[in-house]
Amino acid sequence: MIKYIVKRILQAIPLLLLITIICFTLINMAPYDAVDAITTPDMSIAEIEMRREAYGLNDPVYVQYLRWLNNILHGNFGYSLLSHTSIKYDLMIRIPNTVRLVLPSYLTAYVLAIVLGLVAGSHRGKWQDKLLDGFCSFGLSVPTFFFAMLLMYFLGYRLKLFPIMGMHTIGKEGSMADYLQHFVMPYLALVFGFLPDLTRYVRGSTIGQLKEDYVTVQKAFGANKSEILFKHVAKNVLIPLITKLGMALPMLVTGAVITETIFSWPGIGSYFVKAVSGLDYPIVMAVLILSGSLVILGNLLSDILYCLIDPRIKSMQ
């Protein structure tokens, strides 16, 4: 197992390097840069060029990339071109805020999807399946930002049950009750966004498992439907679902970009959107490399969990 993990990590290094090259190249192909974003009409051409030179934007692209890569390898993500704050420090503050929001939301959707997917798959074509399939179709067709705005309008503005924006009320940063009030609406928006796709995935796996021979054998031995479903089918359904769990790792950083922006949640999502709109490429690159690393780690985590859960996969390595 250790040998396999080391092999996969070594294979991931050139892939991660390729991701950084592509992202850096695409960012530098943009018609504007950070200096253009902060330029004012009263700035002279000489002052603009001086700022461009200070940021190193006049250097060839490969020189800028090698300088950036060297800093990353030394744990230095650089500084924001607009706010001049440390990107590493900003990420250390914002990543926990995003994890606090995304992790409970995804785990809730994950557990609900297992139950709802098993119920829908075991009642294929019946009213339970049609009801859940209708919900999933509705959930997939409604954009997350639209559902989030509906929550803001009805629960926040009309009924005034929850605060509309932010993670804390000013002066109540240490209050758990105040935090939970701010947490509810973005949490519901994310659960609504994650649940339909996961439920359909479980439903499809359940339908496939119910066609297997072992289900027929269990029925022949007199096992009831609930026992077959939750004792035997559920175990086999969870194996492919592990892939979803591993691939959810990048969502802990970039899974709530739209939701965080709408609710002004101080996480990575809103931080990334502001950086993109301000052409602050050091922040954009830092978030992209972090997200790319988590995608690779998510794939590795999925493979490891597969080996731990299903011994047959381990024997084929």
Side-chain angles (χ1 to χ4, degrees), residues 17 20-21 24 63-76 289:
L17 191 63
T20 64
I21 293 174
F24 199 91
V63 174
Q64 297 181 46
Y65 172 75
L66 291 175
R67 182 169 57 236
W68 173 84
L69 184 62
N70 180 65
N71 291 333
I72 290 294
L73 292 176
H74 287 84
N76 178 17
I289 192 66

Side-chain angles (χ1 to χ4, degrees), residues 106 113 136 139-140 192-203 244 251:
Y106 192 83
C136 292
L140 291 171
F192 179 81
F194 293 142
L195 186 58
D197 180 61
L198 288 171
T199 301
R200 281 197 165 180
Y201 191 86
V202 176
R203 175 186 178 274
K244 288 284 187 179
M251 291 185 182

Side-chain angles (χ1 to χ4, degrees), residues 63-249:
V63 174
Q64 297 181 46
Y65 172 75
L66 291 175
R67 182 169 57 236
W68 173 84
L69 184 62
N70 180 65
N71 291 333
I72 290 294
L73 292 176
H74 287 84
N76 178 17
F77 288 91
Y79 294 85
S80 168
L81 296 180
L82 302 180
S83 63
H84 305 291
T85 57
S86 170
I87 297 175
K88 183 177 180 180
Y89 177 75
D90 289 341
L91 292 177
M92 289 175 62
I93 294 176
R94 291 176 176 272
I95 288 178
N97 293 339
T98 296
V99 172
R100 290 176 195 169
L101 176 62
V102 177
L103 184 59
S105 304
Y106 192 83
L107 289 179
T108 301
Y110 195 84
V111 173
L112 287 176
I114 293 174
V115 177
L116 297 179
L118 286 171
V119 171
S122 62
H123 294 83
R124 185 181 182 185
K126 298 181 180 178
W127 68 268
Q128 297 96 328
D129 182 33
K130 292 179 180 179
L131 179 64
L132 291 172
D133 185 59
F135 165 76
C136 292
S137 299
F138 175 76
L140 291 171
S141 62
V142 175
T144 305
F145 74 88
F146 182 73
F147 183 73
M149 288 191 292
L150 287 178
L151 290 176
M152 292 178 69
Y153 178 74
F154 288 106
L155 299 183
Y157 176 70
R158 298 289 295 182
L159 300 178
K160 302 187 185 302
L161 296 177
F162 305 105
I164 293 178
M165 294 184 178
M167 192 172 74
H168 291 289
T169 302
I170 297 176
K172 296 183 179 180
E173 287 78 6
S175 172
M176 178 57 68
D178 181 71
Y179 168 78
L180 292 175
Q181 285 183 323
H182 287 80
F183 173 81
V184 170
M185 287 200 295
Y187 165 79
L188 292 176
L190 286 177
V191 170
F192 179 81
F194 293 142
L195 186 58
D197 180 61
L198 288 171
T199 301
R200 281 197 165 180
Y201 191 86
V202 176
R203 175 186 178 274
S205 297
T206 302
I207 293 173
Q209 288 297 320
L210 288 173
K211 297 178 182 178
E212 297 293 330
D213 293 336
Y214 73 87
V215 175
T216 304
V217 172
Q218 291 296 325
K219 289 180 179 178
F221 278 99
N224 59 53
K225 189 173 184 179
S226 298
E227 184 180 356
I228 294 174
L229 184 64
F230 292 102
K231 188 176 180 180
H232 301 283
V233 174
K235 291 181 180 179
N236 292 309
V237 167
L238 287 176
I239 293 178
L241 196 61
I242 292 297
T243 303
K244 288 284 187 179
L245 186 60
M247 291 307 297
L249 191 59

Side-chain angles (χ1 to χ4, degrees), residues 265-309:
W265 189 271
I268 293 296
S270 54
Y271 185 61
F272 182 67
V273 169
K274 290 179 182 178
V276 171
S277 62
L279 303 174
D280 202 340
Y281 78 85
I283 295 178
V284 175
M285 283 300 301
V287 175
L288 288 177
I289 192 66
L290 185 60
S291 178
S293 301
L294 290 176
V295 169
I296 295 173
L297 289 175
N299 277 297
L300 179 59
L301 177 61
S302 295
D303 291 342
I304 294 173
L305 291 175
Y306 258 70
C307 293
L308 294 175
I309 292 176

